[in-house]
Amino acid sequence: MKVKKSVQKSQAPDDARAEARRRQIMQEAAKLFGSRGFEATTIRDIASAAGILGGSIYYHFGSKEDIFLAVHSAGMETITNSVLEAISDIDDPWEQLEAAAVAHCNALLSSGELPVIVSPYYSESLKTLRPQLIAQRDRYDKIMAGIVERLDLPPGIDKHIFRLHFLGALNWLPTWYRPKSGMLAADIGRQLVAMVRR
């Protein structure tokens, strides 16, 4: 038993270091994917930004596509958890939509450790990953669909199209937003809801 405990203790720091390095790679990759796009970002670029040799990345990820999937998954988890927390004590569906929009915008524009990457479209080079990317979004889409379903929209408005349109507007935010504009992420979220509500 003593031998097993000593082995576990010696492995723990290695596991922690590997996880920290994996997180660092994802962090730098997210920045590059966000600023350059998927196609223009290479494994060498990511490795250089993370301060490691290019070949060392393959100890943590099998390919650039695997890194993108990990970054995208982490981003969806961040947004989902933020929205769930924001709407937890709200009953009115329009107020829920506004709180969800504010949380979504805040997560997208956050300057946290791991930038959130939620692409509003899939480039040709990500075509093979489309089923996995959609699967990563499913939980969040169901939350938003539940909110939209309860909205008192005018007759003739398709709630499915409304949801896709609204999510598209939210996800395009990082494309056009400029910090120097002085607009707050929360204010943008509220404006988007105000426009569709009226």
Side-chain angles (χ1 to χ4, degrees), residues 68-87:
F68 188 87
L69 282 173
V71 169
H72 185 271
S73 178
M76 288 312 308
E77 184 178 358
T78 295
I79 289 179
T80 300
N81 291 339
S82 297
V83 167
L84 284 174
E85 183 178 354
I87 68 174

Side-chain angles (χ1 to χ4, degrees), residues 142-182:
K142 287 176 182 175
I143 294 168
M144 294 300 291
I147 296 173
V148 171
E149 184 60 35
R150 296 172 55 229
L151 296 176
D152 56 340
L153 296 175
I157 299 297
D158 186 294
K159 291 185 175 181
H160 176 69
I161 295 175
F162 177 94
R163 176 175 58 85
L164 294 178
H165 168 75
F166 189 70
L167 286 174
L170 289 173
N171 288 333
W172 271 107
L173 179 57
T175 305
W176 59 261
Y177 178 78
R178 297 295 179 269
K180 292 181 180 178
S181 68

Side-chain angles (χ1 to χ4, degrees), residues 11 13-23 25 43 47 52-63 66-67:
Q11 287 176 340
D14 289 340
D15 291 343
R17 279 195 293 271
E19 182 57 34
R21 181 52 57 88
R22 179 182 169 86
R23 193 75 179 174
I25 292 169
I43 285 286
I52 61 176
L53 297 174
S56 300
I57 279 188
Y58 295 105
Y59 174 79
H60 304 278
F61 296 96
S63 64
D66 286 344
I67 300 174

Side-chain angles (χ1 to χ4, degrees), residues 20-168:
R21 181 52 57 88
R22 179 182 169 86
R23 193 75 179 174
Q24 181 187 16
I25 292 169
M26 289 172 60
Q27 180 180 0
E28 298 303 331
K31 293 176 184 176
L32 291 170
F33 290 146
S35 61
R36 300 183 185 179
F38 179 79
E39 291 92 343
T41 301
T42 67
I43 285 286
R44 183 176 294 180
D45 293 333
I46 297 170
S48 176
I52 61 176
L53 297 174
S56 300
I57 279 188
Y58 295 105
Y59 174 79
H60 304 278
F61 296 96
S63 64
K64 184 173 74 167
E65 288 75 12
D66 286 344
I67 300 174
F68 188 87
L69 282 173
V71 169
H72 185 271
S73 178
M76 288 312 308
E77 184 178 358
T78 295
I79 289 179
T80 300
N81 291 339
S82 297
V83 167
L84 284 174
E85 183 178 354
I87 68 174
S88 62
D89 297 325
I90 302 174
D91 294 322
D92 180 80
W94 281 108
E95 291 180 11
Q96 275 195 338
L97 187 67
E98 181 178 285
V102 168
H104 190 120
C105 290
N106 278 331
L108 280 180
L109 299 183
S110 171
S111 57
E113 174 193 344
L114 182 59
V116 172
I117 299 295
V118 182
S119 175
Y121 68 95
Y122 299 119
S123 65
E124 191 65 24
S125 55
L126 289 171
K127 195 173 181 179
T128 58
L129 300 182
R130 184 178 173 83
Q132 292 163 278
L133 293 170
I134 291 174
Q136 289 178 352
R137 293 185 179 189
D138 276 351
R139 182 180 172 220
Y140 183 65
D141 282 346
K142 287 176 182 175
I143 294 168
M144 294 300 291
I147 296 173
V148 171
E149 184 60 35
R150 296 172 55 229
L151 296 176
D152 56 340
L153 296 175
I157 299 297
D158 186 294
K159 291 185 175 181
H160 176 69
I161 295 175
F162 177 94
R163 176 175 58 85
L164 294 178
H165 168 75
F166 189 70
L167 286 174

